[in-house]
Amino acid sequence: MHHIFIGFFISIGLAVVFSVGLFVRAYEPSSAPKLLNTGTPRILTVGWDKGTAAYALVSAVKGKTEIIPVDNKTGYEFNLSNGLLVVSRDGQTVWRSPADWWVASFVVADVNHDSKMELNLSVWKPGDYGPSKPAWVEKNDMSIKNHLFVYELAADGVHSLWQSSNLDQPSCEFIFADLDGDGKQELGVIEGEYTTTKTCRGKFMAIWKWDEWGFYNQWRSNAGHFSDLHAVLAGGETYLESNLIID
């Protein structure tokens, strides 16, 4: 059965400047949710099985190389520091994340398959929704939870395109890669669980795909302790890999 992230519109530095589509993870000592990685790791590899038209675990892949994102060609620069993301163009700031957000990571990728790059954010913030909430929701949950936000990188600026409400499982790490060979990028994510200690310990490895207006779950691992998510290329096929921690 497929699950979906349903998005809603919400109206609404200075460590390293990025002008390429790199996956960026921010680990801050006091404010950001932290990754807990302990124990002995082994590699878990997931690939697309053409015979069954489904994702499956792969015992091993030989001659693999990690996929390195290429220049995003958006003309924008991205500066993530202490949970604040600043987007600039031609030396001018065109967008910055709100003060009550903690941007944990971002990825520049074409997520909705329109041949344009989008800015994708993993955000920790209070409030399930923004000023406008669905009519069936009586009260906005103001606890701090994780969200996935997608922004359009247009010629005239950065615009909200799609935003999730509170995620059931927070995103510890995420990347985009074409995992099934259809020319469209899927969302690979290490999903965690909420704690009272501002930690993000990966509990599931999952694959989601954009379909019309949201992300649908296509595969999820059994529960474990996951970290270091990345995509690799081997024999012309793309695989999703992460460390599975054995305590």
Side-chain angles (χ1 to χ4, degrees):
M1 178 177 181
H2 292 311
H3 302 277
I4 182 173
F5 287 152
I6 300 177
F8 298 90
F9 283 114
I10 302 179
S11 302
I12 19 188
L14 301 164
V16 183
V17 175
F18 297 89
S19 59
V20 296
L22 295 174
F23 169 53
V24 182
R25 283 174 290 178
Y27 306 110
E28 297 295 337
S30 58
S31 301
K34 304 176 185 65
L35 294 176
L36 294 180
N37 302 323
T38 60
T40 303
R42 66 180 178 88
I43 301 296
L44 188 72
T45 304
V46 181
W48 179 255
D49 187 328
K50 295 179 180 178
T52 61
Y55 290 101
L57 296 178
V58 179
S59 58
V61 290
K62 297 181 179 180
K64 63 187 179 183
T65 57
E66 186 168 352
I67 295 176
I68 305 298
V70 298
D71 192 327
N72 64 55
K73 296 180 173 60
T74 63
Y76 288 96
E77 293 184 338
F78 308 93
N79 183 333
L80 177 60
S81 179
N82 296 318
L84 172 67
L85 180 64
V86 178
V87 182
S88 305
R89 190 168 190 173
D90 299 326
Q92 301 294 319
T93 298
V94 297
W95 184 86
R96 66 175 60 231
S97 54
D100 62 343
W101 291 12
W102 182 278
V103 179
S105 61
F106 71 91
V107 178
V108 176
D110 178 16
V111 301
N112 62 352
H113 317 139
D114 63 353
S115 300
K116 300 176 183 178
M117 291 291 190
E118 287 83 39
L119 173 62
N120 307 274
L121 311 176
S122 173
V123 174
W124 292 79
K125 62 175 286 292
D128 201 359
Y129 304 97
S132 300
K133 57 182 176 58
W136 62 86
V137 176
E138 294 183 0
K139 186 177 180 180
N140 195 0
D141 177 6
M142 295 306 296
S143 61
I144 297 177
K145 295 289 177 61
N146 187 231
H147 303 251
L148 177 62
F149 291 168
V150 180
Y151 279 80
E152 178 187 18
L153 296 169
D156 62 345
V158 179
H159 309 292
S160 175
L161 181 63
W162 181 91
Q163 299 186 348
S164 78
S165 52
N166 292 344
L167 299 181
D168 291 337
Q169 290 88 27
S171 171
C172 298
E173 303 178 37
F174 73 103
I175 63 173
F176 288 92
D178 180 10
L179 299 171
D180 60 7
D182 66 350
K184 300 176 181 179
Q185 293 185 318
E186 284 75 44
L187 168 62
V189 60
I190 291 180
E191 301 172 340
E193 56 187 351
Y194 292 107
T195 72
T196 59
T197 58
K198 288 189 176 180
T199 59
C200 191
R201 184 169 190 168
K203 187 175 182 180
F204 299 98
M205 183 176 171
I207 298 172
W208 298 74
K209 193 177 188 72
W210 181 272
D211 187 3
E212 294 185 359
W213 193 243
F215 290 94
Y216 290 80
N217 180 243
Q218 293 191 307
W219 179 87
R220 178 177 282 112
S221 70
N222 293 328
H225 297 158
F226 295 91
S227 68
D228 189 22
L229 186 70
H230 55 278
V232 298
L233 184 66
E237 304 291 338
T238 302
Y239 300 89
L240 191 67
E241 286 193 341
S242 76
N243 289 338
L244 173 59
I245 307 298
I246 308 299
D247 290 335

